[in-house]
Amino acid sequence: MTKQGVLSLSILLVFLFHCITTSAQPAAAPAKPADAPAQLPANPPVQPAKAPAQPANAPAQSALIPVQKGPTDVTKILKKAGGYSVFIRLLKSTGVAGQLFGELNDTNIGFTIFAPTDSAFSDLKGGTLNSLSDLQKTQLIQFHILNTIVTLSNFQTLSNPVPTEAGDVGENGFPLNITTAGNQVNISTGLVNTTVGGTVYSDDQLAIYQVSKVLLPVNIFSPKPKVAAAPSSKPKTDKDADAAESPSGASKVDEAAAVRLCRHEMLASIGVAVVAFFVMKGT
């Protein structure tokens, strides 16, 4: 073999050795990027950019916390509703507002109030309120109040007549007649008929309803005339009864006495005449 052939064979052996050595080593893993993003789901939910911060003093689930109830004041409730200025003025001037405030906040007593609107008072005859005494004004306001709470669904359970704060159901009382027809509540005083117009306020101790007429009690605006008591009298005799039956009883008594006297005189005259006859016959 020539030198050239030996050189070519050597080069071929070196090349084969290099190829065998290179193929025997594992391939180098590709380098990961410096900040490779984390693998995400196929359809990731859209997240808001940034949730709004909660107020520092906001209580959790504030809707479930009951609101603390303050003192119940009928005049403030009516003032807030609007259109009851005359009724409010009468409640205050008569002292009924203060009585209601004390009862509602110091006891468990409930009340139902029928509140006439300002237009209801303006429909009254001029001077009606001014003609009332202080006691009558108080009774008028109390006549609009029931000493119990009645919801709209319970009016049909009332038994007529219904007593009011002004008085009971006796002859000289101040009762109302309350009836229902479907969802309508009718009120009658004996002088006024009206209906409940709507609910102004309602809770577990107080119900206020609007009425379009002032409730006028009969015992103030149309009282029954009082019958005078009959004077006591002594038992009558038969003569007194006969004299009372006839206006001329006294004169008849006098006539009877005169007749009796006349009879006595006639008998006396006849006796004298008989005596004289026998005397003359004897002589």
Side-chain angles (χ1 to χ4, degrees):
M1 179 179 297
T2 62
K3 291 181 180 180
Q4 186 176 1
V6 173
L7 180 60
S8 299
L9 181 59
S10 299
I11 294 172
L12 180 58
L13 290 174
V14 171
F15 175 78
L16 291 174
F17 177 77
H18 176 74
C19 289
I20 292 171
T21 304
T22 302
S23 61
Q25 294 180 356
K32 293 184 178 180
D35 296 321
Q39 187 174 0
L40 298 175
N43 295 316
V46 178
Q47 296 290 338
K50 187 177 182 181
Q54 293 289 336
N57 297 324
Q61 297 181 344
S62 58
L64 300 179
I65 300 176
V67 178
Q68 184 67 30
K69 180 183 177 183
T72 303
D73 191 328
V74 173
T75 58
K76 288 184 178 180
I77 293 171
L78 292 172
K79 185 176 181 180
K80 184 176 180 180
Y84 300 93
S85 59
V86 179
F87 191 56
I88 292 172
R89 175 166 52 84
L90 289 172
L91 282 168
K92 291 181 177 180
S93 64
T94 58
V96 176
Q99 295 173 1
L100 289 173
F101 185 87
E103 295 287 344
L104 289 170
N105 294 286
D106 297 334
T107 70
N108 293 324
I109 299 175
F111 295 95
T112 299
I113 301 176
F114 301 110
T117 60
D118 289 339
S119 60
F121 281 99
S122 62
D123 289 339
L124 293 176
K125 185 179 178 180
T128 298
L129 295 179
N130 293 332
S131 66
L132 301 179
S133 65
D134 291 341
L135 174 60
Q136 289 174 328
K137 288 179 181 178
T138 301
Q139 291 173 329
L140 175 63
I141 296 303
Q142 291 176 331
F143 191 57
H144 291 73
I145 304 173
L146 304 183
N147 193 12
T148 184
I149 181 169
V150 185
T151 62
L152 281 175
S153 60
N154 288 336
F155 274 108
Q156 72 271 15
T157 64
L158 297 177
S159 298
N160 288 310
V162 181
T164 65
E165 279 287 284
D168 211 336
V169 297
E171 182 179 356
N172 296 320
F174 289 81
L176 292 172
N177 283 298
I178 302 176
T179 58
T180 58
N183 295 327
Q184 181 173 300
V185 179
N186 304 311
I187 304 174
S188 175
T189 72
L191 295 176
V192 174
N193 297 315
T194 187
T195 60
V196 172
T199 303
V200 179
Y201 178 86
S202 179
D203 62 18
D204 57 354
Q205 196 179 6
L206 174 66
I208 304 177
Y209 301 105
Q210 174 188 313
V211 289
S212 58
K213 292 183 180 180
V214 179
L215 305 180
L216 303 179
V218 172
N219 279 334
I220 292 179
F221 294 94
S222 183
K224 296 179 180 179
K226 295 183 179 180
V227 179
S232 60
S233 59
K234 296 180 180 179
K236 294 181 180 180
T237 63
D238 294 340
K239 292 182 179 180
D240 293 336
D242 293 338
E245 290 176 359
S246 174
S248 58
S251 61
K252 287 185 177 181
V253 172
D254 294 339
E255 289 180 5
V259 169
R260 288 193 295 269
L261 179 61
C262 183
R263 287 177 180 175
H264 288 305
E265 291 177 351
M266 290 178 64
L267 291 174
S269 299
I270 293 172
V272 171
V274 171
V275 172
F277 172 76
F278 283 107
V279 171
M280 289 179 66
K281 187 177 181 181
T283 59

